[in-house]
């Protein structure tokens, strides 16, 4: 129990710490410029590239490679490509083309009906285009399927853009502009037999590099829809967190979490979402859905009470399906333990004459459940299970028999198959942690009831020396429980 409270305390403290990082997912970066092995991480029309030759000397670490490119002014080469620089002049043609592809759906609609000037929109989108330029490299080891990936950012910011405009007609001044490159992250690349990156690796890369994140715009609320799907490696039941851009008092942009959703009804270029925690998303406010890796599963730790016995349960749920109306299907596994009251004080005489202690309870089970999510914070989950349960009566080592001291080490067991039928309510506390309360009615089928087996051997019958004398319900009937659920 102390261990559980420690985990909860660390989780509570980790929340505010992680919140201070304030990642920024720019809703205006529908497309991203990427030089290098961009095809390894391409999905849909997310990336475009330039004819910039990258030299990657062998035996260089990612940070050393970054320094090498800065010495050779590779960042300036990318800027030249964006501005169509031919040695004598600069042009906006490519920037306009890219900016229009990058414009949000809502802005396009306003431009088409004349509420906002198209050129104004494009000017506003120049900086997001320039500021989202990256290098992605995957180095393969000769004769091996193992490889390493690394990502870098080309630092074309507002200051660089201002320098460009100030030197638009002065090429000598323009050629003095320096564009640096920064190292972001690197890691091992796991590949398929064909040599392509595994989707799991692509998702890890997107998680470490926000600009590479698998994300799409919210394009509708009824039904709740985003503009990416299978082509962006989104699968049914994937976790999608909704973000909205905000600005600090110092003018720094950051992304504020709006809600946690899961994908359903996924098609090639669209997917529906269902909200499990948080508020309502809005496409008019530029909300975006960002993929976040998850296990599509949960663990519940609960304490239960049933007919003079106390126990605990560990329950594993795997969400196997999710419909667009919020109905989940679960595969369930349970592991339970418990004991009857006054476990250390009572002794019982078995059919064989041995003395045993009050039993210890253990059970395992498999089952199926259906969950319905509502009001963005609760889920009702009816289910049924099939369980194997054993009651272990530990034998007392020494006991008097007929006035003579003899050793007794005969343990007794009571095995049964149980069929719990129940429902539980999962209530968001601070998602992904939920409070769980539930009840179930248990039907039991005992496996040993007679004093003698077919071979004539006398066996212990707990019905006669334990359940009937004590008036207990033989581990059937109503069971109630409560605890916490952790979603992963």
């Amino acid at each position: 129990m102390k261990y559980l409270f420690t985990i909860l305390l660390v989780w509570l403290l980790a929340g505010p710490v992680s919140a201070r990082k304030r990642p920024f997912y720019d809703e205006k970066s529908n497309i991203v410029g990427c030089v290098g092995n961009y095809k390894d991480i391409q999905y849909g029309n997310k990336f475009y590239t330039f004819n910039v030759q990258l030299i990657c000397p062998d035996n260089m670490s990612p940070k050393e490679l970054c320094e090498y490119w800065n010495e050779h002014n590779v960042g300036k080469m990318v800027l030249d490509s964006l501005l169509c620089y031919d040695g004598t002049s600069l042009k906006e043609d490519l920037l306009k083309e890219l900016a229009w592809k990058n414009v949000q759906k809502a802005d396009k609609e306003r431009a088409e009906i004349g509420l906002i000037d198209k050129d104004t929109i494009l000017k506003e989108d120049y900086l997001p285009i320039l500021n989202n330029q990256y290098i992605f490299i995957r180095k393969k080891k000769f004769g091996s399927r193992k490889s390493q990936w690394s990502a870098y950012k080309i630092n074309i910011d507002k200051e660089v853009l201002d320098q460009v405009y100030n030197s638009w007609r002065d090429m000598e001044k323009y050629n003095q502009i320096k564009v640096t490159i920064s190292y972001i992250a690197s890691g091992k690349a796991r590949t398929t037999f064909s040599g392509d990156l595994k989707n799991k690796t692509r998702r890890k890369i997107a998680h470490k590099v926000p600009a590479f994140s698998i994300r799409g715009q919210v394009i509708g609320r009824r039904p709740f829809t985003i503009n990416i799907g299978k082509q962006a490696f989104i699968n049914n039941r994937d976790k999608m967190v909704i973000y909205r851009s905000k600005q600090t008092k110092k003018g720094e942009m950051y992304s504020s979490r709006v809600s946690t959703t899961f994908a359903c009804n996924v098609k090639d270029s669209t997917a529906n979402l269902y909200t499990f925690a948080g508020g309502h998303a809005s496409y008019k406010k530029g909300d975006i859905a960002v993929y976040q890796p998850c296990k599509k599963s949960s663990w519940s730790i609960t304490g239960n009470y049933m007919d003079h016995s106390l126990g605990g349960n560990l329950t594993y749920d795997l969400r196997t399906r999710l419909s667009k109306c919020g109905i989940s299907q679960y595969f369930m596994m349970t592991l339970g333990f418990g004991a009857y009251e006054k476990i250390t004080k009572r002794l019982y005489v078995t059919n064989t004459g041995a003395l045993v202690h009050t039993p210890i309870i253990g059970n395992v089970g498999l089952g199926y459940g259906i969950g319905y999510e509502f009001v963005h914070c609760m889920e009702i989950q009816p289910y049924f299970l099939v369980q194997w349960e054993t009651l272990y009566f530990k034998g007392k080592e020494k006991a008097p028999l007929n006035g003579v001291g003899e050793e007794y080490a005969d343990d007794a067991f009571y095995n049964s198959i149980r069929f719990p039928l129940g429902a539980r309510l999962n209530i968001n506390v601070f998602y992904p942690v939920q409070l769980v309360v539930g009840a179930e009615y248990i039907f039991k089928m005992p496996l040993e009831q007679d004093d003698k087996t077919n071979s004539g051997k006398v066996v212990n019958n707990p019905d006669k020396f334990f359940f009937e004398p004590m008036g207990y319900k033989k581990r059937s009937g109503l069971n109630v429980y409560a605890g916490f659920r952790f979603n992963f």
Side-chain angles (χ1 to χ4, degrees):
M1 189 59 71
K2 290 182 179 179
Y3 180 68
L4 175 58
F5 282 121
T6 301
I7 293 176
L8 292 174
L9 182 59
V10 170
W11 204 314
L12 283 169
L13 293 175
V17 171
S18 61
R20 293 191 192 104
K21 295 179 181 178
R22 291 193 168 187
F24 177 53
Y25 299 99
D26 184 4
E27 74 272 12
K28 289 193 174 183
S29 63
N30 297 326
I31 56 176
V32 172
C34 190
V35 179
N37 308 113
Y38 77 98
K39 289 185 178 180
D40 285 342
I41 53 174
Q42 175 73 292
Y43 60 90
N45 298 317
K46 178 72 176 179
F47 298 99
Y48 60 91
T49 191
F50 306 103
N51 187 23
V52 174
Q53 186 175 3
L54 284 177
I55 299 175
C56 303
D58 294 332
N59 302 320
M60 273 194 179
S61 69
K63 292 184 179 179
E64 291 171 341
L65 195 58
C66 183
E67 293 176 1
Y68 176 83
W69 288 333
N70 280 323
E71 291 174 0
H72 290 77
N73 212 8
V74 173
K76 176 65 164 47
M77 296 178 189
V78 174
L79 181 65
D80 292 344
S81 297
L82 283 163
L83 297 172
C84 304
Y85 178 53
D86 59 4
T88 60
S89 64
L90 305 174
K91 296 180 182 178
E92 291 182 299
D93 296 354
L94 181 57
L95 275 180
K96 285 183 178 180
E97 179 185 340
L98 293 173
W100 186 246
K101 288 182 180 179
N102 198 51
V103 171
Q104 296 181 53
K105 177 186 174 184
D107 286 340
K108 284 185 178 180
E109 291 175 349
R110 288 187 293 167
E112 288 170 356
I113 61 177
L115 291 179
I116 188 171
D117 182 61
K118 180 178 178 180
D119 289 335
T120 301
I121 295 177
L122 296 183
K123 289 286 185 181
E124 291 177 352
D125 272 63
Y126 280 0
L127 186 57
I129 288 294
L130 292 168
N131 198 33
N132 281 280
Q133 304 298 324
Y134 295 84
I135 297 174
F136 180 81
I137 297 295
R138 179 160 71 102
K139 284 189 174 183
K140 300 179 182 178
K141 293 183 178 181
F142 181 76
S144 173
R145 288 178 56 199
K146 295 181 180 180
S147 58
Q148 184 184 50
W149 66 268
S150 54
Y152 312 80
K153 189 177 191 309
I154 302 171
N155 300 310
I156 306 177
D157 53 17
K158 188 177 185 303
E159 183 179 344
V160 172
L161 182 59
D162 290 341
Q163 291 180 52
V164 169
Y165 281 130
N166 291 333
S167 59
W168 193 263
R169 300 189 182 282
D170 187 345
M171 296 301 98
E172 184 176 350
K173 186 177 180 181
Y174 169 78
N175 285 327
Q176 300 302 312
I177 296 175
K178 297 291 183 181
V179 178
T180 60
I181 298 173
S182 300
Y183 164 75
I184 302 176
S186 60
K188 293 181 180 179
R190 299 186 181 277
T191 59
T192 62
F193 285 106
S194 62
D196 297 330
L197 288 178
K198 289 186 175 182
N199 287 347
K200 186 175 181 179
T201 298
R202 296 187 190 194
R203 288 170 175 172
K204 284 184 177 180
I205 294 170
H207 189 62
K208 289 186 176 182
V209 188
F212 293 171
S213 61
I214 300 174
R215 54 185 166 163
Q217 292 182 358
V218 176
I219 59 175
R221 276 298 312 180
R222 296 183 180 179
F224 190 0
T225 310
I226 55 174
N227 63 350
I228 57 172
K230 293 178 181 178
Q231 292 177 351
F233 310 111
I234 298 298
N235 298 318
N236 281 305
R237 299 169 286 120
D238 278 349
K239 183 179 179 180
M240 306 293 293
V241 177
I242 307 299
Y243 286 96
R244 184 173 300 161
S245 295
K246 292 189 177 181
Q247 192 172 15
T248 65
K249 294 180 180 179
K250 295 181 179 180
E252 298 175 350
M253 298 299 296
Y254 68 96
S255 294
S256 176
R257 182 188 292 248
V258 176
S259 58
T260 299
T261 68
F262 286 85
C264 51
N265 192 32
V266 179
K267 299 180 180 178
D268 286 342
S269 57
T270 62
N272 293 128
L273 301 179
Y274 198 88
T275 305
F276 276 65
H280 287 280
S282 170
Y283 86 92
K284 293 182 180 179
K285 295 182 179 180
D287 290 353
I288 58 174
V290 180
Y291 167 84
Q292 289 193 353
C294 75
K295 301 293 186 181
K296 304 179 180 67
S297 61
S298 66
W299 287 93
S300 301
I301 302 174
T302 57
N304 62 69
Y305 174 79
M306 179 184 183
D307 189 32
H308 299 279
S309 64
L310 294 173
N313 276 85
L314 185 63
T315 304
Y316 171 77
D317 294 326
L318 174 65
R319 183 179 285 112
T320 58
R321 290 180 180 274
L322 174 64
S323 73
K324 61 182 179 180
C325 59
I327 298 177
S328 299
Q329 296 183 43
Y330 292 102
F331 166 73
M332 302 175 66
M333 293 192 300
T334 64
L335 175 65
F337 59 91
Y340 278 86
E341 58 187 356
K342 299 182 180 180
I343 182 173
T344 60
K345 296 181 179 180
R346 291 179 175 171
L347 292 172
Y348 303 88
V349 181
T350 69
N351 301 49
T352 59
L355 286 176
V356 294
H357 292 278
T358 301
I360 298 173
I361 304 164
N363 57 63
V364 294
L366 300 175
Y368 170 82
I370 297 177
Y372 175 65
E373 189 80 23
F374 59 101
V375 299
H376 297 185
C377 65
M378 295 185 186
E379 182 184 32
I380 184 71
Q381 184 181 348
Y383 62 88
F384 72 86
L385 297 165
V386 178
Q387 291 180 329
W388 171 281
E389 182 171 84
T390 296
L391 271 62
Y392 169 55
F393 297 81
K394 186 179 184 305
K396 187 173 176 59
E397 292 183 359
K398 291 185 178 181
L401 181 63
N402 298 325
V404 180
E406 295 184 5
E407 292 189 358
Y408 288 81
D410 290 337
D411 299 330
F413 295 90
Y414 181 75
N415 301 314
S416 63
I417 295 177
R418 307 198 310 165
F419 303 94
L421 181 63
R424 66 183 191 180
L425 183 65
N426 306 313
I427 307 169
N428 292 355
V429 179
F430 40 94
Y431 194 85
V433 178
Q434 296 177 302
L435 174 67
V436 178
V437 292
E440 57 190 14
Y441 194 89
I442 299 172
F443 302 90
K444 187 202 71 171
M445 183 176 71
L447 298 180
E448 292 181 356
Q449 299 182 60
D450 299 328
D451 293 342
K452 293 185 179 181
T453 62
N454 293 332
S455 62
K457 181 182 177 181
V458 177
V459 297
N460 293 308
N461 187 348
D463 284 352
K464 293 186 176 180
F465 72 79
F466 179 71
F467 288 109
E468 291 177 5
M470 299 302 298
Y472 294 154
K473 296 180 180 178
K474 303 180 183 179
R475 297 292 295 163
S476 63
L478 184 65
N479 180 39
V480 294
Y481 57 89
F484 290 97
R485 184 191 196 200
F486 303 88
N487 295 278
F488 296 96

